[in-house]
Amino acid sequence: MAGPVLEMRSIVKTFPGVKALSDVSLSVRPGEVHAICGENGAGKSTLMKVLSGVHPHGSYEGDILFEGEHCEFKDINASEARGIVIIHQELALVPFLSIAENMFLGNEHASRGFINWHETLGHATRQLRRVGLNENPNTRVTDIGVGKQQLVEIAKALAKEVKLLILDEPTASLNDEDSDTLLDLILELKDQGITSIIISHKLNEIRKVADSVTILRDGRTVETLDVRAPETTEDRIISGMVGRDLDHRFPERTPHHPEAGAAPAMEIRNWTVRHPIDRERKVVDDVSLTVRRGEIVGIAGLMGAGRTELAMNVFGRTYGRYAGGVVLKDGKEIGTRHVSDAVGHGIAYVTEDRKHYGLNLIDTIGRNITMSALGKVAKRGVVDEHEERQVAEGYRKSMNIKAPTVFERAGKLSGGNQQKVVLSKWIFAGPDVLILDEPTRGIDVGAKYEIYTVIDKLAAEGKAVVFISSELPELLGMCDRIYTMAAGRLTGEVPRAEATQESLMRLMTKDKEVAR
């Protein structure tokens, strides 16, 4: 058997006050797909930044050997010159430049300061075909979807004659169809002899494409497993990631039984929303649902079903054009025309896009936690910084937010810890109803369990929770009732005891038929 194409030996990386990597080692065979998994904050992305030169030689301890040679990358250009290319979770594309311009930015086909556009467009077209993307290379990146943008990033890497392709959470922002396309492409590249490292929280993806998986925990290597071996089960991988067996993926929950005659905490009646641009198109069509205090009610649906559009329009008309419907709180009609109206009536919305709408990434953890209810920590219009710090510190401890202080910028936290900050923000506001939109998207199983526990506790305290999720096992494990949506309309309502993945999927694909 040929030796490893990559070896990382005893890597140690320290940031001020934090040891991110401690004696981490990694070995990757030629032509394999090697997965790296671990909880948020385990050191996965940091390790790949060391490998790719983002963290240059001299800023870490340990050795990197690539194709048998000792490497000391001073920057990302140095690693790319050796054929190591990293695609970060946050895509590095310039939206208003063309696909071709993005693909060769910094790597232009130029002579004497002039770009050879004929050669550039020809090369771009060949690489786009290689990744199965039938787009004109002159198309602006902003005019194509996220799934296609991910393929552009891979085509860009192939144009650099990549030998080792690193993908950091490549499907985190993709729908199921685009995710499958990308995973199939990774396997095709493997057949072409390209070695890949994929960082992913999604164990089903690891099992589909990976040959080996290295598990990191708390900045250390736990073990490397053969994915194809019978003993490499999801439970085995999860146990390695979190350091304990998870007999149950979800907290034990006693199904909620509403009081006879009690009005729902929130009721939505006949809600209709039109598309923000195409006014003839209904993205939410005559939807009605209820949620009671102490109850967790799920909403299931495929992409485009209208779940997020419903939640955002109810919460202050933040998406689309309101076209009808009423909201009742404890049996009384209320107005939610503006976000402040919804918040004032005790309704909170945890967005699916925490980076853009849930957090101010350049502000501190403390300010993010208190921003939804600054009046609680203010006197005569001035924020009491001592009280704000105490409040935030309480949430940092109770929510197990992994950060040295509440003065840390929110943008520096891992995805799971960012989500805990978003939840803390809305819990601090003291709502009666929480609408949670994909609350565990892009975070690992350990952080998911912690968030599930928080949600279960909120319901036990009498909060009413609406839980939107694309993961059917999550809805089945957490909810008392589950509504299903398809093409903007409600297609079913299933109690916990009767719900299965199969029954929900049938209703989620029941086009525009309302089940009574």
Side-chain angles (χ1 to χ4, degrees):
M1 177 182 286
V5 67
L6 169 71
E7 288 185 272
M8 301 183 76
R9 299 175 178 171
S10 304
I11 303 296
V12 177
K13 175 63 181 174
T14 303
F15 296 103
V18 179
K19 182 172 276 190
L21 299 172
S22 181
D23 195 32
V24 173
S25 295
L26 175 70
S27 179
V28 179
R29 300 188 303 270
E32 78 165 335
V33 178
H34 194 108
I36 300 178
C37 67
E39 293 188 88
N40 290 101
K44 308 180 298 293
S45 295
T46 301
L47 183 65
M48 292 301 98
K49 288 178 180 178
V50 167
L51 172 59
S52 60
V54 175
H55 298 315
H57 178 74
S59 68
Y60 62 88
E61 300 174 30
D63 299 301
I64 298 174
L65 283 82
F66 184 65
E67 296 181 321
E69 297 182 9
H70 190 270
C71 297
E72 298 179 352
F73 300 131
K74 64 178 182 179
D75 54 29
I76 198 167
N77 291 330
S79 67
E80 288 184 350
R82 286 300 308 268
I84 300 173
V85 180
I86 184 169
I87 299 176
H88 297 282
Q89 184 175 351
E90 304 295 334
L91 300 182
L93 298 173
V94 182
F96 294 105
L97 293 182
S98 71
I99 291 172
E101 288 169 327
N102 270 282
M103 284 178 60
F104 297 101
L105 189 62
N107 187 32
E108 291 85 358
H109 292 287
S111 177
R112 298 179 182 179
F114 292 94
I115 294 175
N116 185 330
W117 287 108
H118 177 75
E119 187 176 339
T120 298
L121 294 173
H123 195 180
T125 299
R126 288 191 295 275
Q127 298 302 341
L128 291 174
R129 287 175 181 167
R130 194 174 171 188
V131 301
L133 187 55
N134 186 26
E135 288 286 342
N136 187 323
N138 286 312
T139 303
R140 295 187 310 169
V141 162
T142 192
D143 295 327
I144 61 176
V146 176
K148 291 183 178 181
Q149 289 179 20
Q150 189 72 267
L151 296 180
V152 170
E153 281 277 28
I154 295 176
K156 180 179 176 181
L158 294 175
K160 296 175 181 177
E161 299 183 4
V162 61
K163 297 177 182 177
L164 175 62
L165 181 63
I166 305 166
L167 302 110
D168 189 354
E169 297 287 355
T171 65
S173 57
L174 303 185
N175 60 34
D176 291 342
E177 182 179 353
D178 287 340
S179 295
D180 288 339
T181 299
L182 181 61
L183 296 174
D184 289 340
L185 176 59
I186 293 171
L187 292 174
E188 288 176 20
L189 295 176
K190 174 187 173 181
D191 292 338
Q192 297 172 24
I194 294 175
T195 306
S196 297
I197 295 176
I198 179 172
I199 298 173
S200 179
H201 291 127
K202 301 177 181 179
L203 301 187
N204 61 319
E205 293 183 354
I206 290 174
R207 295 194 67 83
K208 178 176 180 178
V209 301
D211 301 292
S212 304
V213 56
T214 294
I215 303 170
L216 301 185
R217 185 173 71 238
D218 298 328
R220 297 178 181 271
T221 306
V222 175
E223 60 183 339
T224 296
L225 302 171
D226 179 352
V227 173
R228 309 304 173 195
E231 63 270 17
T232 307
T233 62
E234 287 194 7
D235 286 343
R236 169 74 182 274
I237 296 172
I238 291 170
S239 177
M241 289 169 61
V242 302
R244 62 187 185 278
D245 290 324
L246 286 183
D247 295 328
H248 302 285
R249 302 269 183 101
F250 307 96
E252 291 290 339
R253 174 168 172 74
T254 302
H256 174 79
H257 298 290
E259 296 179 18
M266 183 178 74
E267 181 176 1
I268 299 170
R269 290 182 183 171
N270 310 114
W271 204 267
T272 301
V273 182
R274 296 189 184 275
H275 191 274
I277 298 174
D278 182 0
R279 299 189 183 189
E280 297 302 313
R281 178 183 162 201
K282 293 180 181 179
V283 292
V284 177
D285 189 0
D286 196 35
V287 169
S288 299
L289 58 83
T290 63
V291 57
R292 293 177 171 80
R293 294 184 183 276
E295 189 178 34
I296 302 176
V297 171
I299 304 181
L302 301 175
M303 292 294 293
R307 301 164 303 162
T308 294
E309 292 82 353
L310 169 67
M312 292 182 70
N313 196 264
V314 167
F315 190 72
R317 315 288 199 268
T318 47
Y319 174 88
R321 297 175 181 273
Y322 167 76
V326 297
V327 177
L328 289 82
K329 176 87 180 306
D330 297 320
K332 297 180 181 179
E333 185 176 336
I334 60 172
T336 60
R337 184 180 181 86
H338 304 288
V339 170
S340 58
D341 297 334
V343 174
H345 286 295
I347 301 172
Y349 172 59
V350 176
T351 172
E352 65 175 341
D353 190 346
R354 57 180 171 265
K355 290 183 181 293
H356 287 91
Y357 303 118
L359 294 169
N360 181 349
L361 295 176
I362 63 174
D363 213 337
T364 64
I365 294 170
R367 183 52 52 88
N368 271 281
I369 288 174
T370 60
M371 67 168 57
S372 64
L374 278 174
K376 290 187 174 184
V377 291
K379 296 176 181 177
R380 297 177 183 177
V382 179
V383 173
D384 184 330
E385 293 185 356
H386 175 71
E387 186 173 351
E388 181 182 56
R389 183 170 65 253
Q390 285 188 317
V391 167
E393 188 63 34
Y395 280 104
R396 185 181 74 87
K397 293 177 180 177
S398 65
M399 298 286 281
N400 193 26
I401 299 170
K402 295 177 182 177
T405 73
V406 295
F407 299 108
E408 191 83 10
R409 284 192 299 112
K412 295 179 70 175
L413 300 177
S414 65
N417 287 303
Q418 286 181 352
Q419 192 70 348
K420 292 176 188 177
V421 173
V422 176
L423 282 170
S424 299
K425 175 181 77 171
W426 286 116
I427 293 170
F428 177 60
D432 301 313
V433 179
L434 285 98
I435 304 173
L436 309 178
D437 195 350
E438 303 284 5
T440 66
R441 171 173 286 174
I443 62 178
D444 61 80
V445 289
K448 280 185 178 184
Y449 190 87
E450 290 182 318
I451 288 173
Y452 296 149
T453 302
V454 170
I455 295 168
D456 201 49
K457 181 181 177 183
L458 291 169
E461 292 172 354
K463 308 292 186 185
V465 179
V466 177
F467 195 124
I468 299 171
S469 177
S470 299
E471 298 185 29
L472 296 184
E474 186 170 69
L475 293 173
L476 293 169
M478 288 296 297
C479 298
D480 299 299
R481 289 183 292 125
I482 302 170
Y483 289 101
T484 56
M485 291 183 67
R489 300 202 72 178
L490 208 64
T491 58
E493 177 187 352
V494 186
R496 177 190 184 106
E498 299 174 17
T500 64
Q501 291 195 56
E502 292 76 17
S503 65
L504 293 178
M505 185 58 70
R506 279 194 294 271
L507 291 168
M508 289 159 57
T509 55
K510 197 173 186 179
D511 188 33
K512 292 199 172 187
E513 181 182 342
V514 181
R516 297 296 182 186

